[in-house]
Amino acid sequence: MECARVAIVLLAALMLLVNTSGATSCDPNPCQNSGTCVCSGNTYVCKCTQQYTGTNCQSVNPNCFTTNSTVMLESGRHIAIQDVSVGDRLLSFDSNGKLFFSEVAMWLDRAPQVNLALIQFTTQTGKIFKATPQHLIHVGDTFTSMRDVKIGDELLVTDDGKQMHKEKVESILEISDGIGAFAPLTHEGTIVVDGVAASCYSYSHRLGEIAFTPMKLLSKLGVVSGKADGMHWYSRVLVDWTEAVGMSQSIFA
């Protein structure tokens, strides 16, 4: 009888070993939003599609303009934001609202093929401005997330790239099929897109400036490069770190 019990226990242990020997850290797949799980022993890495980021691809890339957004070069020429290169000098503004041209230090994100949810504002003179809901725009005397702007709020805008003035938001539209995600970072941390003053960051302009100071310094030394597609590795590291310490909505989604 005792031998029978031992045999049953050994058989159960063997079945459990067989059933779990094929299991991996990617089974079931922990990666969300169509992310691909790459297993390495007891750990895994999620390879996210361009629209998502985070350890498990759970967060939408937060601070972006879209393909048909335009910016002004120091030459006075307007170009599509997708054609911007690191080192270009783009129309920006300082803390007093004074316009000047600031050099592009790096791409925070560049994803030409991604689909984005956007918010679109139309001002009293017909200016149209689009960006992701978390992106910061200059409203009144401060930076405010796109999703928090209301009809009647005053945006800081320019018609000629020389003088700034305020215009009221007359209509707000949510768009679900925006194409392309583009987020250049200037050394000033600000940018004028489609004639409207905006931050280069989402959630917190002040924290964004602190977090990206090292990359701006490296850019001045010529270390930061390129126009490679996808979220910059430094941006992704910050996303993962802020999520790990419970600050995922400080700078990024």
Side-chain angles (χ1 to χ4, degrees):
M1 192 65 153
E2 187 64 30
C3 289
R5 287 199 187 101
V6 171
I8 291 172
V9 170
L10 289 174
L11 180 60
L14 179 61
M15 291 177 64
L16 181 61
L17 180 63
V18 170
N19 287 338
T20 58
S21 61
T24 70
S25 51
C26 286
D27 185 16
N29 185 3
C31 306
Q32 304 174 32
N33 299 304
S34 301
T36 301
C37 186
V38 178
C39 182
S40 177
N42 293 324
T43 64
Y44 67 90
V45 175
C46 287
K47 292 186 177 297
C48 308
T49 59
Q50 285 187 322
Q51 187 176 0
Y52 295 93
T53 188
T55 303
N56 294 326
C57 306
Q58 72 276 14
S59 300
V60 177
N61 287 341
N63 54 322
C64 293
F65 304 104
T66 189
T67 302
N68 57 1
S69 299
T70 62
V71 293
M72 180 187 286
L73 298 173
E74 192 168 22
S75 64
R77 186 165 63 96
H78 290 80
I79 64 170
I81 200 166
Q82 64 179 332
D83 295 328
V84 168
S85 297
V86 171
D88 284 347
R89 293 176 61 82
L90 305 182
L91 187 63
S92 306
F93 58 98
D94 63 18
S95 58
N96 296 316
K98 181 180 179 181
L99 291 166
F100 72 106
F101 291 90
S102 181
E103 184 176 324
V104 175
M106 61 181 284
W107 282 99
L108 300 176
D109 197 359
R110 190 179 188 281
Q113 304 302 320
V114 73
N115 293 325
L116 287 181
L118 302 169
I119 293 178
Q120 174 180 297
F121 300 148
T122 303
T123 70
Q124 63 196 68
T125 64
K127 273 188 173 51
I128 295 176
F129 177 84
K130 292 180 283 189
T132 45
Q134 303 93 333
H135 203 101
L136 293 171
I137 186 172
H138 201 284
V139 178
D141 298 316
T142 189
F143 288 107
T144 302
S145 292
M146 291 282 291
R147 63 187 176 188
D148 294 328
V149 175
K150 302 175 179 61
I151 291 177
D153 284 349
E154 292 184 325
L155 308 184
L156 197 59
V157 305
T158 180
D159 295 324
D160 56 8
K162 298 177 181 178
Q163 297 291 329
M164 297 283 257
H165 63 277
K166 293 181 179 181
E167 288 188 13
K168 290 184 178 180
V169 174
E170 285 205 339
S171 69
I172 300 175
L173 178 66
E174 294 185 0
I175 301 173
S176 61
D177 57 352
I179 303 297
F182 299 91
L185 172 64
T186 65
H187 280 282
E188 186 64 20
T190 63
I191 189 170
V192 176
V193 176
D194 295 326
V196 178
S199 171
C200 291
Y201 309 108
S202 58
Y203 293 112
S204 171
H205 184 80
R206 182 178 63 84
L207 289 178
E209 284 288 84
I210 293 171
F212 281 93
T213 294
M215 295 306 293
K216 290 181 182 180
L217 293 175
L218 289 175
S219 174
K220 287 183 179 296
L221 295 174
V223 176
V224 180
S225 63
K227 196 184 267 190
D229 291 347
M231 179 178 279
H232 193 279
W233 67 265
Y234 187 80
S235 301
R236 193 172 296 280
V237 166
L238 285 178
V239 170
D240 291 341
W241 179 80
T242 53
E243 288 177 347
V245 299
M247 294 172 56
S248 59
Q249 293 191 346
S250 293
I251 305 173
F252 300 102

